[in-house]
Amino acid sequence: MRLNKLINQLTTKLPLNLCSPIPPLLMVDSVTLSSVPEHPQKTTLYLEPLSFTIDNYCIQFSTPINVLPVLIELGIILISNNYIQKQQNPLALKAIAADFDIIIQIAANELDAPLILLDLDGQQIITATKPAYDESSTIGHFLANQDPALDPSKFYHHMYLTTQAESAIPLLLTPLAYQGNPLGYLAIVVINPLTAEQTRLLPAFARVITCASVRDKIVGNSLSQRDRLVSLLLTEPTDTTIEQQFKTQGAILPENMVLIKCEPIANQSLPTLKARLTYLMMPMFSQVLITIHHRVCLALVTINLSDYNQQLFHNQLTTIATRGKCRLIVSNFYTNPHDTISAYQFCNRAARLKNHTDPVLFCSDVFFNLILTQVNNRDNTLPFLVDPCLKVLTNYDQTNHTELVCTLQAYLLATCNLTETARTLFVHPNTLRKRMQHITYLTGLDLKDAKTCFKLAASLEISHYLQI
């Protein structure tokens, strides 16, 4: 293909700011991610962050480019689907009868690079085509100690190239999934310059390797032991034995965490929900352990207190609930793994609360209702706990068609800020002040007193709970 045609097609997919003209007659048949060698191939395009070089001609960019997406797009343009099928079909036929180790080795030979198979969170090397890259190697130790090994922001990219800070040797990774369920990653060890052909062949070979790994149970066995770690915290006392079992599975017994109960809202089985959540949650948090315990899907998420209280965490969970087609009930933040049992109990109680059907429900947001569920109401205890001032205001509103209770509730929700309350109610500040004065006149309450406001807020919560 002519270079000018190639780059014109590329610029329709990716933004490239070229600083040099494109010679019209140069031909390209291969692309490599590397600097120009001493003896360059005449029709090979050498791709670097700031330039394309071919046949001693260099095309400059005004700003550095992300080389991997460019390499992938160039591969799509240059390498036909027919060629991919011709390489993939013999491997697929061989996979019908051959052992898994033979299949992955054949794929490595075709790709002209070592291959390694990683578990779903990128923390353990399951197998490698060369002993130098197995779990006992330097690179194996590095990946196992990452938290996590893969950059969460790049997880959803079809392929991901590690940086020098992430892996002692660069890796080109592509995710493995079987029938929509994520399993792990297949990675090329980049010991030679990465080519556009490899970026096209790797996903194609990954589909064959996925089927072979499922058939021979290469991936499943590695993940099943990790699944049991959450159940251990729910059934056994936390001691040094459990900590060692976490370490054996490449996990860390967390010191800062939440437990999340995951309820399917679509027509999906718990194993399917678990697989979806694994795929969605793994890249977002430093460590996620998901299991099915007593016919309930549970996720133990390692997170610090500051991140737990950030809006980003709430947004992430909303995204997970929407894409996973489920409802998430999130425990309070806790630091002692032994409290996982209590977290599980409170998640179950929160899930049973009426009139709380949001896709993400934090136990901390309904803690008052959780307390009320423990009160024996057979002797009408709860109605008696409602502040009589609230009853007076309710009766006054009903008789005079006023909105004093609504005003009081907005005032308390705005943390007793008059300006914010007026904005919320869409009333003039003077109108709000007259309402507040009237509330004080009817009840004698000091609405600037923190203890008084707390009692009124509690009464409103009790009233709301009784109306459910």
Side-chain angles (χ1 to χ4, degrees), residues 247-282:
K247 188 174 181 181
T248 300
Q249 298 304 321
I252 299 172
L253 187 63
E255 298 178 351
N256 304 281
M257 71 209 89
V258 294
L259 186 71
I260 303 177
K261 181 179 181 181
C262 314
E263 299 180 332
I265 58 176
N267 186 21
Q268 59 180 327
S269 65
L270 287 179
T272 299
L273 174 61
K274 175 183 172 295
R276 281 180 175 168
L277 292 175
T278 301
Y279 186 78
L280 292 167
M281 286 185 167
M282 283 292 188

Side-chain angles (χ1 to χ4, degrees), residues 233-234 238 259 334-345:
L233 295 179
L234 292 167
T238 306
L259 186 71
Y334 60 103
T335 58
N336 186 347
H338 181 71
D339 291 334
T340 301
I341 297 174
S342 297
Y344 176 60
Q345 292 171 344

Side-chain angles (χ1 to χ4, degrees), residues 166-184:
E166 294 164 325
S167 176
I169 298 174
L171 300 173
L172 177 68
L173 300 107
T174 190
L176 301 179
Y178 183 73
Q179 294 182 346
N181 298 329
L183 298 177

Side-chain angles (χ1 to χ4, degrees), residues 393 396-406 438 442:
L393 294 175
Y396 186 88
D397 279 346
Q398 292 173 349
T399 303
N400 298 279
H401 306 290
T402 53
E403 299 179 346
L404 297 183
V405 174
C406 177
H438 199 53
L442 291 172

Side-chain angles (χ1 to χ4, degrees), residues 261-262 270 291-298 344 348:
K261 181 179 181 181
C262 314
L270 287 179
T291 193
I292 297 173
H293 178 79
H294 291 174
R295 291 176 292 179
V296 175
C297 186
L298 298 171
Y344 176 60
N348 283 335

